[in-house]
Amino acid sequence: MKSRKKKVSPIGLKDITIVDDVKMRKAISAAALGNAMEWFDFGVYGFVAFVLGKVFFPNADPSVQMIAALATFSVPFLLRPLGGVVFGAIGDRLGRQKVLAATIIIMSLSTFAIGIIPSYESIGIWAPILLLLAKMAQGFSVGGEYTGASIFVAEYAPDRRRGFLGSWLDFGSIAGFVMGAGLVVLIQSVVTEEQFFEWGWRLPFLLALPLGVIGLYLRHAAEETPAFQQHVESLEQGDRDGLASGPKVSFKEIATKHWRSLLTCIGVVIATNVTYYMLLTYMPSYLTHNLQYSESNGVLIIIAIMVGMLFVQPVIGFLSDKFGRRPFILTGSIGLFVLAIPAFHMITSGSTGLIFAGLLMLAILLNFFIGVMASTLPAMFPTHIRYSALASAFNISVLIAGVTPTVAAWLVETTDNLFMPAYYLMTIAVIGFITAVTMKETANKPLRGAAPAASDIEEARELLQEHHDTIEQKIEDIDTQIAELEAKRATLAQQHPRID
């Protein structure tokens, strides 16, 4: 059977997507709020882990209570790859918007459920079991959440502003974390310690339900991304009708054809999320439990640092559109390797000023990673497999990163060495460095498999000219290679008696 050769038409101004500002703002708001929901739970959980240990594991040693509570945080990461596979396949078949509506429903309900689970004293072993089930439901939904949100923003954003606009996704993450941690502090300040242990810790989890309703409304109002719509429209009618029946490309084929992108994705996510979980989930417990630092002061320092990160985040995204994504991942990795030990010398000093300085140092380095991650990852895969491939690679990586709080706590307890988290970060920094050196730059380029996207008609003309210049350069490179091959052929042919 002869394969039909697809006719390719020249790309003109009409083929460049002019992004609608109103739709783009709706898309970013909808995506960022869902991400804020995810990290709201992480923030609350990290700051009440010491309470959860006593409520759900009351018969254990205090150190074991802390590790058990953090382990309950880490175990759901086992479900994230499964969620990524399921939601990724659905996202590539039915669209990004539908998946994001489903994930925020599951996420808000499971977070709300944590707030209504009875204590161990009330229902015994069922209490920690129900807590684990709620966290597993969260893990399953989050498996499709961040990747879907980052794809949603990336496919809406103009090529020259993808870094800046994508940075607002993790701005939502930090804001959600600050909101969660701040709410814990507020509740602790207005109720007694006994009331907080009895019912006060539940209130932040209950707030997830109204937040989920708002997020669902925003996501339902947002339209499907232009890139996915173009992909569907580009398919022949038969392929379009069969799009919903199942994925056309297996993960094995993705891993074979896109192995470099998969490895880059895994490296970026591990470097980013290990640093994230170490600083924002583990450090509150580390300060209180291991350093016996005032719990209220430690929480306020973390919150102050995260508020500062909110201002740095969009700046990194903006600069990455000017200088590229690779320089920030490279700088963040080198900085983490060199400064992890000095930072922990400050953190363990007992001085409030030095503790703040050490944590701030790590926070700025974290900004270098998260400021570019949402714009870097979606650009690695073509439209028709973007969700499936990215969700699989992302959640395999997060599976590794998600055990960070548990492993860090265990290492400190078993070795009695307060610098084990620093050594952990230095190891991760090596992975980030290798990834940055080997990855391809994606800034200011169209997403793979998608038409160029511009903010206005003038920018569209500039992108078109750049695209044509790139094609001309590629043709010149190919012509050069052809000439070299022809010369090589002529040389070889001269050595054979029957070949002209």
Side-chain angles (χ1 to χ4, degrees), residues 221-244:
E223 295 183 12
E224 187 53 77
T225 67
F228 187 79
Q229 291 181 27
Q230 291 167 6
H231 166 58
V232 174
E233 291 169 2
S234 68
L235 296 174
E236 295 183 3
Q237 187 62 47
D239 293 332
R240 194 181 307 171
D241 294 339
L243 183 62

Side-chain angles (χ1 to χ4, degrees), residues 335-394:
L336 195 61
F337 186 86
V338 173
L339 299 176
I341 295 295
F344 271 83
H345 271 292
M346 297 179 186
I347 293 169
T348 57
S349 67
S351 165
T352 299
L354 289 177
I355 291 173
F356 181 85
L359 292 173
L360 180 62
M361 189 183 299
L362 295 177
I364 292 174
L365 293 173
L366 175 57
N367 269 127
F368 276 62
F369 291 114
I370 61 174
V372 301
M373 186 167 71
S375 55
T376 301
L377 301 184
M380 295 181 185
F381 303 99
T383 305
H384 69 289
I385 61 165
R386 182 170 293 130
Y387 211 145
S388 300
L390 185 53
S392 300
F394 184 90

